[in-house]
Structures are given as C-alpha cells and as structure tokens.
Amino acid sequence: MRVPTPQSEFGWFEKMTDVYRQLVIKVELSPDDAEKYNAQVLRGHSIINNPSEEVAAEIKRRFPHLHYWRLAAWECGGGFTNTGSAQIVCAPNGEPMKPVVIRRRGHLACGYHALFVGQWFVVINARHHRRDFSFVVEEYMINDSRIGTLDKKILWRFEEGDAYIGDFEQWFQQNVPSYIRRFKNALKAAYEKALCYHCRSPHYIKQ
C-alpha cells in the first residue's frame, strides 16, 4: 500500500487530518491504464486515490457499473520530548475498526501506522505542548458510493486555550459533553498516542 505524503505546507489540523476518497474499479487495469490514472492494481480491482474530476469522469464513462467510492484514513502520529500529535480513526459509535493495512517497515516513528477504509467513520485529532491539549472530532461519510459525495462535519472541538491534562479520566468527566462520550476510548487513544514517544504502532484497532 502506497503511503501518502503529509501535506506539511498546511496547518496542523489540515496536515494530520489525512482523510481522502478512493475510487475503486472492480477490474484489474492494464499496466498502461494504471500508469495513466496513477492507480494501484490489486487482485480483482484497482484503486485511485483522490482522482481529479477529469479522471473520475473518464472512469465512470469507461466502467459505468464497475466502480464505487470509499473513504480512507490513517492512524498516525506520536510524541516528541515536549510536543505530540495523533490521529485516531474509529467507527461512528466510537468502537475500533479493523485496518486493511498495518505498516511494519520503513519510517514508522511518529508516522503512518494503520490504514482504514469504509463509507463512514469518525476521525479524532489530538495535539499537545507540554500536555496542554487540543482535540477535534470529525465525522466523514460517503453518501452515495456511486457518485462519491462526501459529507464532513465537526462533532466537537476542544481548543479553548488548551487544557493541561495530567489525569485523563478527570479531564474527560469535567470537559467532554454527553454526546461525545461514546468516543471516550478513542479520545483516550488519541491522548496516549500523542504522548507516546516516537510512536511506531497503532493504538486503536480491532483485532
């Protein structure tokens, strides 16, 4: 699985919120077509990450009944000496999901660790400086798998001057609203991953 490059020219949230659409074609493209569309060819299907409008239109025209859209997102991040950031991916009910890829080679420290795909999931981003934390909880959904319409909604944002978190349970009880509490375990995983020095492995996956 090819690992996307973080977009370092953007701000922190844009950089870490590495969620993108995939156009899946239920055929194996020829080598020439794979190169033309910058597609990955796997057994029985091909995948194009974030295709341009022109490429998407051509794929729909060539394979009108053999394509669909889905979302992809990475669990990524980790901690340094005094700072850290993390992205956790979970199901809409807050439960862990099963990744399609777990990276075990290459550059892993504070990098990309587990890839998830699906039509609907929630992404939690955390960052801290000396344990002063900010969180953003966002929901992503592909409404129509044939058209690829993406709905994105911020469910909760905690940035009010940041908060020193020495004890997660106490902070959670005092600051997290009731409608976000189903994400407690995922929030805790984001908190722990952002503190995990040079993190090299996933923190929130379904075994």
Side-chain angles (χ1 to χ4, degrees):
M1 180 64 68
R2 189 166 52 238
V3 179
T5 303
Q7 300 175 26
S8 57
E9 67 269 25
F10 296 121
W12 175 79
F13 285 119
E14 288 78 9
K15 179 178 70 174
M16 290 302 297
T17 306
D18 192 36
V19 180
Y20 52 97
R21 295 187 306 163
Q22 292 184 329
L23 182 55
V24 182
I25 311 161
K26 293 185 281 187
V27 297
E28 295 181 22
L29 293 176
S30 68
D32 287 344
D33 279 345
E35 182 177 0
K36 175 182 177 182
Y37 299 128
N38 193 26
Q40 268 186 297
V41 179
L42 305 173
R43 177 180 290 183
H45 63 286
S46 306
I47 301 172
I48 307 174
N49 291 328
N50 271 341
S52 66
E53 292 184 9
E54 292 78 10
V55 168
E58 186 171 340
I59 292 298
K60 292 176 183 179
R61 186 168 57 251
R62 289 187 59 187
F63 307 99
H65 305 294
L66 294 173
H67 74 274
Y68 66 93
W69 291 88
R70 69 185 184 186
L71 291 171
W74 287 90
E75 178 183 320
C76 53
F80 298 96
T81 302
N82 296 313
T83 62
S85 56
Q87 175 166 289
I88 294 293
V89 183
C90 67
N93 63 0
E95 293 297 313
M97 298 169 57
K98 190 168 184 177
V100 296
V101 171
I102 297 177
R103 292 187 62 235
R104 304 186 190 280
R105 297 180 179 179
H107 177 75
L108 296 175
C110 298
Y112 292 85
H113 301 133
L115 177 65
F116 302 85
V117 298
Q119 302 297 318
W120 183 19
F121 45 61
V122 169
V123 173
I124 297 174
N125 281 275
R127 66 171 177 178
H128 83 94
H129 178 260
R130 297 184 184 275
R131 286 184 175 262
D132 283 332
F133 270 85
S134 294
F135 294 91
V136 173
V137 180
E138 294 178 292
E139 180 182 67
Y140 293 82
M141 179 190 298
I142 292 285
N143 268 330
D144 189 321
S145 62
R146 296 299 301 279
I147 298 175
T149 305
L150 173 64
D151 280 351
K152 173 183 173 183
K153 178 168 60 177
I154 295 178
L155 301 180
W156 184 62
R157 186 188 294 270
F158 184 85
E159 287 189 284
E160 298 178 1
D162 299 338
Y164 178 81
I165 302 179
D167 182 275
F168 178 85
E169 293 292 333
Q170 182 180 7
W171 169 83
F172 182 87
Q173 294 301 324
Q174 293 177 351
N175 295 279
V176 179
S178 59
Y179 69 95
I180 294 297
R181 298 205 166 195
R182 68 184 184 274
F183 300 113
K184 178 180 180 179
N185 291 335
L187 279 165
K188 188 174 183 180
Y191 162 79
E192 291 175 344
K193 190 176 185 76
L195 292 171
C196 181
Y197 186 71
H198 286 187
C199 182
R200 300 176 59 86
S201 60
H203 278 232
Y204 200 65
I205 62 174
K206 182 178 181 180
Q207 301 294 339

